[in-house]
Amino acid sequence: MASSTSAALAQWQRIEALVQAWLDERQQLIVLLCTMQGLKGLSTPQPYDNPQPMHRQVQRFCQLLMDYISAGYFEVYRELVNEARHFHRENPALTRQIMQKLDSSTDAALAFNEDFEHPNQCLAQRKVLPQRISALMETLEERFALEDQLILSIHQQEPPQQQATH
């Protein structure tokens, strides 16, 4: 019994570390998004403006956004669903509902990346960038709330060792 509790605790701790690293990446994404929103001359370049810092910020954001979305789908969500099954915390209806809602925000993130990941595309669409950033911020805010709901419904319960002693 102690061995299975120890293995369960190790699995829970591994998932905890994965989720925390992913949430740290989310924080970086939020900071970069807010930084981009505050860039001077974002939509209307001045003759003396150097567009390179804006391009670099947007490209860096796009890369981080794609990394975050990918990590969610291919690592974190899968591990949370496996944890739910392993520790009998499944709520398939809630999980399915959350995952379906996440799909639309994924589509919005992919569209943003496709439109702005390359410098030439970014420059050509510079006038719409502030509106797109604002719209993406709203979409990501909803996404983060859904992801938090998924995490809280599965993972943010007592670690297995503590459950076994109750």
Side-chain angles (χ1 to χ4, degrees):
M1 178 74 178
S3 176
S4 68
T5 300
S6 175
L9 179 59
Q11 179 182 357
W12 187 89
Q13 289 172 333
R14 181 183 57 76
I15 294 169
E16 174 69 11
L18 176 68
V19 168
Q20 286 306 316
W22 185 59
L23 293 176
D24 289 345
E25 190 173 34
R26 178 199 288 180
Q27 188 62 39
Q28 293 172 20
L29 188 66
I30 292 168
V31 168
L32 192 52
L33 187 58
C34 291
T35 301
M36 279 188 350
Q37 194 173 34
L39 287 174
K40 289 185 176 187
L42 194 62
S43 63
T44 53
Q46 302 300 318
Y48 52 85
D49 278 350
N50 177 0
Q52 288 305 323
M54 189 252 327
H55 291 145
R56 276 189 247 119
Q57 288 279 12
V58 174
Q59 285 178 306
R60 190 167 148 230
F61 173 76
C62 285
Q63 183 60 51
L64 189 57
L65 178 63
M66 292 300 96
D67 290 348
Y68 179 82
I69 299 288
S70 295
Y73 269 103
F74 298 114
E75 295 177 56
V76 178
Y77 303 160
R78 185 182 69 219
E79 288 294 335
L80 288 172
V81 169
N82 288 339
E83 178 182 351
R85 287 186 190 124
H86 186 267
F87 295 118
H88 309 291
R89 298 177 184 155
E90 286 185 277
N91 185 343
L94 177 63
T95 302
R96 188 173 28 263
Q97 178 186 17
I98 291 171
M99 296 301 286
Q100 287 172 346
K101 289 179 180 179
L102 287 171
D103 285 343
S104 65
S105 65
T106 298
D107 293 342
L110 292 173
F112 184 91
N113 181 67
E114 187 174 313
D115 290 344
F116 295 101
E117 72 177 324
H118 298 292
N120 292 341
Q121 293 169 301
C122 189
L123 189 57
Q125 298 188 67
R126 191 173 188 169
K127 290 185 181 202
V128 298
L129 186 56
Q131 294 85 6
R132 292 287 301 275
I133 289 173
S134 292
L136 186 62
M137 284 181 86
E138 289 179 26
T139 300
L140 290 176
E141 185 178 331
E142 293 170 12
R143 179 186 192 89
F144 298 156
L146 288 167
E147 290 170 344
D148 290 346
Q149 185 180 0
L150 183 65
I151 293 167
L152 290 171
S153 70
I154 296 171
H155 184 69
Q156 296 299 329
Q157 299 179 18
E158 293 179 5
Q161 183 179 20
Q162 292 174 356
Q163 289 177 342
T165 59
H166 288 157

